[in-house]
Amino acid sequence: AYGTSPRFVIEVAISSQARDLGKKALSYARTGVPTYWVVDTVRERTTIHTDPTPTGYGTVRTVPFSEEIAFEGVAVNLAALVA
């Protein structure tokens, strides 16, 4: 499956956060999606998953909207995007 998956997936979680951070994250990791973001507009934060393995993502971090996120050389300001 590696090499046939999208390079980047973004989910905007409103009521689906538990599923997005659980089953979907595992599914995306297993299929080799290198970067998966779950954007939580209620709590104003983004959970970033990287380093996929067959058992889940090796690196998971949560970033508040107030911080820029670097992705492939581009600074992303979610606070400005969702305002």
Side-chain angles (χ1 to χ4, degrees), residues 13-63:
I14 297 171
S15 62
S16 62
Q17 187 172 13
R19 186 178 73 235
D20 293 340
L21 292 172
K23 289 181 181 181
K24 280 190 176 181
L26 180 57
S27 177
Y28 288 136
R30 284 181 175 164
T31 60
V33 174
T35 304
Y36 172 51
W37 291 9
V38 178
V39 179
D40 182 343
T41 59
V42 175
R43 293 184 181 99
E44 298 186 346
R45 62 187 184 186
T46 301
T47 303
I48 301 169
H49 301 75
T50 55
D51 305 317
T53 73
T55 59
Y57 281 96
T59 304
V60 179
R61 64 188 178 103
T62 300
V63 179

Side-chain angles (χ1 to χ4, degrees), residues 63-82:
V63 179
F65 280 8
S66 59
E67 291 182 24
E68 288 188 344
I69 302 169
F71 178 71
E72 294 194 0
V74 176
V76 178
N77 182 332
L78 286 174
L81 291 175
V82 298

